[in-house]
Amino acid sequence: MSRRIDALDVLRGVAIMGTLGTNIWIFTAPGGPTEFLQFGGGAGVAETFLRFLSNGKFLGLLTLLFGVGLELQYRSAVRKGMTWPGRYLWRATLLFVEGALHYVLIFEFDVLMGYAITSMIVAYLVGRSSRVVTAWMVVAGSLHVAMVCVLTLALLTIPSGGSMPGTYPQGSWLDQVHGRLQNVLVFRSELVFIVPMGIVLFLLGVRLMRAGVFEEHGAGLRKKLIVVGLGFGVPANLATSFAGPGWFAVDRYLLAPLVALGLLGLVTSIVLGLRGEPGVVRNAITNVGRTALSCYVFQNLAASVVCYGWGLGLASRFDALRPWWVPVVWAAICLLFVVLSSLWLRRFKRGPLEVAWQWAYQAPFNKRAVTTPVG
């Protein structure tokens, strides 16, 4: 399939904006990422509900879409007669480097490193038999569920300990960099959950793509995703959100990905059901999807500038206005990168980081092609 799938760009745009909806609670917390490690403890009813709207769901959606993207890369390699995984491993390496830089320089809970590790594993599975893929999904899924159960049991039975110093409201940018390097094992511990969960969701994304979820004939499949993901997943997810911090792992790593499946089915059905030229809203979300990497990094950088002490320091200044000012700053940052991505794509085909990424990806192979003698 060489044509562009419109629903994918919309889904990526939705996932990027939704991811900020989760991360914005980390940025706006006076204690910064320290408060995330309290697993939502101490939040009031309104804040708990607002967090419920995004927590984990768009991480799950983005993970599914990475699996779909891997399948498209695999199809492209097969169609061109190229060795697989071959160059894809270089692509995954670049993703890991990008994630590492993003972690050190901007954001503690970057997901790109986890996606890079996951993609290196799944790249060797995407071309295997259905039996092998199913076995990997069962093993990775069982491991993931077991770890979630162990963490949940620990959270329910073991009193929470102390927290790390909150240098973010007043500290400098270099203080933050030092804090990330010093506490790398703590901040990167989520990878333990992201990788096995990612293996399952990557492979599920591959299977959904092959089953025609983005085609007209996939209406029945999309309906099932909506019923299971939204009909069952949303009520269950809402219940665990209000059940207390002890249920954090079940809420974020088990039920939220289930809701993500429903979102994938719903958004795809809406896009396929639209007729005529795309409107302003759809174009705006599509532009974010087409510049997803640039928007992902930009939103975290913008939130850092707005919230942390080396920037505007609003996390401390507006603490008394929580939770109501948080959705406002989320909407403002979203509007900013929607406008910037739309303006950028008027002149360029890819986002700025996507251009740099494409150059870095092609550079070693272009050099090889130039230096290889002909004849």
Side-chain angles (χ1 to χ4, degrees), residues 45-191:
V45 173
E47 181 170 333
T48 298
F49 178 75
L50 290 171
R51 289 190 182 198
F52 151 77
L53 295 176
S54 61
N55 183 33
K57 299 165 185 61
F58 298 97
L59 170 66
L61 180 59
L62 197 61
T63 309
L64 286 166
L65 296 177
F66 261 83
V68 173
L70 191 151
E71 166 67 6
L72 292 174
Q73 291 290 325
Y74 172 71
R75 291 186 184 188
S76 177
V78 171
R79 187 171 59 250
K80 296 176 181 178
M82 300 173 65
T83 302
W84 181 266
R87 295 184 178 186
Y88 186 83
L89 296 180
W90 174 237
R91 179 183 292 270
T93 301
L94 287 176
L95 185 66
F96 186 88
V97 172
E98 160 65 23
L101 290 173
H102 187 237
Y103 166 78
V104 173
L105 301 177
I106 300 177
F107 187 48
E108 291 73 17
F109 299 104
D110 167 80
V111 299
L112 299 180
M113 294 174 67
Y115 287 162
I117 297 170
T118 304
S119 64
M120 290 181 182
I121 298 172
V122 176
Y124 287 98
L125 302 175
V126 66
R128 302 294 298 275
S129 67
S130 176
R131 184 176 180 179
V132 170
V133 170
T134 300
W136 271 87
M137 292 179 71
V138 169
V139 171
S142 299
L143 175 62
H144 179 62
V145 171
M147 290 192 302
V148 168
C149 290
V150 169
L151 178 57
T152 301
L153 182 62
L155 292 175
L156 290 173
T157 58
I158 301 175
S160 60
S163 60
M164 294 178 298
T167 62
Y168 294 86
Q170 295 82 26
S172 68
W173 174 74
L174 287 178
D175 288 333
Q176 292 187 14
V177 171
H178 180 261
R180 294 183 193 110
L181 293 174
Q182 189 177 36
N183 298 287
V184 62
L185 293 180
V186 175
F187 287 137
R188 295 286 73 197
S189 61
E190 191 179 31
L191 293 180

Side-chain angles (χ1 to χ4, degrees), residues 276-352:
E277 292 297 319
V280 175
V281 174
R282 179 177 166 185
N283 278 329
I285 297 175
T286 297
N287 289 336
V288 173
R290 290 177 58 192
T291 57
L293 179 61
S294 297
C295 288
Y296 172 68
V297 174
F298 174 82
Q299 69 184 21
N300 292 331
L301 179 59
S304 298
V305 172
V306 169
C307 296
Y308 292 152
W310 55 266
L312 300 179
L314 298 190
S316 295
R317 294 182 186 180
F318 287 179
D319 183 33
L321 299 178
R322 284 177 67 92
W324 308 113
W325 85 280
V326 180
V328 174
V329 72
W330 168 81
I333 294 174
C334 284
L335 179 61
L336 180 57
F337 66 67
V338 162
V339 171
L340 292 176
S341 63
S342 299
L343 292 175
W344 180 273
L345 290 176
R346 289 182 180 180
R347 297 191 59 184
F348 305 98
K349 293 183 179 180
R350 295 186 176 94

Side-chain angles (χ1 to χ4, degrees), residues 241-262:
S241 296
F242 282 94
W247 293 93
F248 172 85
V250 175
D251 181 67
R252 180 172 173 84
Y253 301 119
L254 287 185
L255 294 177
L258 190 62
V259 177
L261 287 171

